[in-house]
Amino acid sequence: MKALHIGRVAAVLTVGALALTACGTDNAVTPGNGGSSTSAAAGASVTGTLTGTGATSISAAMDAWKAGFESANSGATVQYSPEGSGAGRKALIAGAVQFAGSDAYMKDAELASAKAKCGAAGAIDVPWYISPIAVAFNVPGVKDLKLDADTIAKIFRGDIKNWNDAAIKASNPSVTLPNLAITPVHRSDNSGTTDNFTDYLAQAAKSVWTDAKSGDWPAALPGENAKGTSGVVKTVTQTAGAITYADDSAVTDALGKVELKVGDSYVPVTAEAAAKAVDQAKPVAGRSANDLSLKLDRTTTVAGAYPAVLVSYAVFCGSYPDAKTVDLVKAFGHYAVSDAGQKAAVSAAKSAPLSAALAAKAKAAIDSITVAAK
């Protein structure tokens, strides 16, 4: 398995390097003018191969985006390898791919490192996918549970070990809970979903979740691990008593889902509830005008908001070596955040569409991408 993973990453890096090398300067433009050729600005189709890697959570949306974009641009191909958010950011920083998908925005140190390959403009985080993180479980005969953040944190820390524990019964008095051991399942890879889920626990269950938010699951905690969104969902599906956290798009009807306590009510997993939580987000301080990183409030008490939500970002370079690459990056980015692209993602992945205001900001950020000065 490890050898297969290394092989896939190597393939992505190789293809990415070839794509970057192969992109010519067929469309000459002046550096700094926005990077679009006359034909691209007029709405003509683009050609070439665009390479990316990163978040596994957006796999279904990415398949829909690739299909729609390639249908409108018959000479263009998008290659995306779902290796995890951390792997995507590392590949972009290394210059091995032209974009990354990440469920966590770039850290300050990563933004600084990206300048070596992305130029002085560095990299930018552009929201393109919003989805709730489902707390999904496999308890025979049970499809819905209501839990508060403290109880969820205790379950994933191994402090609550059985499904018929008094803390679970307290908020689910009408549910018949079996005497069944709980098996927490977490991601083995550096994951933006993990980063968002641990951020939720760190904010909403401060007295219980004593670890800082991170894309890496705390090594000292008990449980099993699996790679990628599909990996944890498969493990839980095959393990009675197991529980995990995963992008809702990947959770099948075979598993139950937790309603999260928000204020005095419990909120089920829906795209609308996720979007409502994102509406409460604030821009991350200290970022460039074109970086749209968002700080989510996991302790919101707004009725109907689901705080265990992820915003997945397209991480683009602020500049690329040539106009053809810039045109290709911009065209794909614009499609993904457009009404058509967002509708395709909603249909394929049960995601929440970007709000009109956020979509407009995303389009402006993508428009800022330029050809690097020579």
Side-chain angles (χ1 to χ4, degrees):
M1 188 66 154
K2 186 174 182 181
L4 177 60
H5 171 62
I6 293 171
R8 289 180 66 193
V9 173
V12 171
L13 299 183
T14 301
V15 171
L18 288 172
L20 287 170
T21 302
C23 287
T25 53
D26 299 348
N27 305 319
V29 298
T30 303
N33 75 342
S36 293
S37 67
T38 302
S39 61
S45 62
V46 293
T47 61
T49 299
L50 186 64
T51 344
T53 185
T56 62
S57 61
I58 63 172
S59 293
M62 182 60 69
D63 286 344
W65 288 336
K66 286 166 59 179
F69 179 70
E70 290 173 0
S71 175
N73 299 273
S74 60
T77 301
V78 179
Q79 297 177 337
Y80 184 80
S81 181
E83 297 291 340
S85 296
R89 298 193 304 274
K90 287 179 181 177
L92 182 84
I93 290 169
V97 293
Q98 293 148 321
F99 74 95
S102 179
D103 298 337
Y105 54 77
M106 295 276 275
K107 298 170 185 170
D108 289 344
E110 291 174 322
L111 288 174
S113 297
K115 291 183 178 180
K117 296 294 183 180
C118 290
I124 56 174
D125 299 283
V126 181
W128 61 356
Y129 177 85
I130 296 170
S131 182
I133 300 171
V135 180
F137 57 86
N138 179 352
V139 177
V142 180
K143 287 299 181 185
D144 180 76
L145 287 173
K146 296 174 172 61
L147 298 174
D148 59 33
D150 282 357
T151 302
I152 294 170
K154 289 175 182 177
I155 288 171
F156 278 94
R157 295 194 76 83
D159 298 331
I160 293 177
K161 303 180 186 298
N162 248 51
W163 282 106
N164 63 351
D165 188 278
I168 301 176
K169 285 182 177 180
S171 54
N172 299 276
S174 63
V175 178
T176 301
L177 293 162
N179 181 15
L180 177 66
I182 297 174
T183 302
V185 179
H186 60 269
R187 290 280 290 272
S188 60
D189 50 326
N190 182 284
S191 156
T193 309
T194 299
D195 188 273
N196 280 274
F197 185 61
T198 56
D199 186 40
Y200 162 69
L201 295 176
Q203 288 191 43
K206 286 182 179 179
S207 63
V208 178
W209 194 264
T210 53
D211 294 282
K213 83 178 187 79
S214 174
D216 295 307
W217 189 258
L221 298 184
E224 296 184 13
N225 65 74
K227 184 181 183 299
T229 300
S230 60
V232 294
V233 171
K234 180 179 180 181
T235 299
V236 173
T237 303
Q238 296 175 342
T239 308
I243 186 170
T244 194
Y245 54 93
D247 186 275
D248 186 48
S249 66
V251 178
T252 67
D253 292 338
L255 301 180
K257 298 179 185 179
V258 171
E259 294 184 23
L260 302 184
K261 190 172 187 182
V262 177
D264 295 325
S265 303
Y266 289 91
V267 180
V269 185
T270 66
E272 293 76 17
K276 202 164 190 178
V278 173
D279 285 345
Q280 318 307 314
K282 305 294 183 187
V284 175
R287 298 294 172 107
S288 71
N290 296 313
D291 186 282
L292 303 181
S293 305
L294 295 172
K295 183 172 179 58
L296 297 162
D297 179 9
R298 312 294 189 174
T299 61
T300 181
T301 57
V302 172
Y306 185 90
V309 59
L310 65 81
V311 176
S312 197
Y313 300 89
V315 187
F316 296 122
C317 284
S319 65
Y320 291 88
D322 57 78
K324 188 172 183 179
T325 305
V326 168
D327 286 345
L328 191 56
V329 168
K330 283 187 173 184
F332 181 64
H334 275 300
Y335 173 72
V337 303
S338 71
D339 288 344
Q342 289 295 293
K343 286 177 181 176
V346 169
S347 177
K350 301 186 290 184
S351 58
L354 300 179
S355 68
L358 188 54
K361 291 178 181 178
K363 291 172 186 175
I366 293 167
D367 277 337
S368 74
I369 298 170
T370 64
V371 176
K374 302 295 185 182

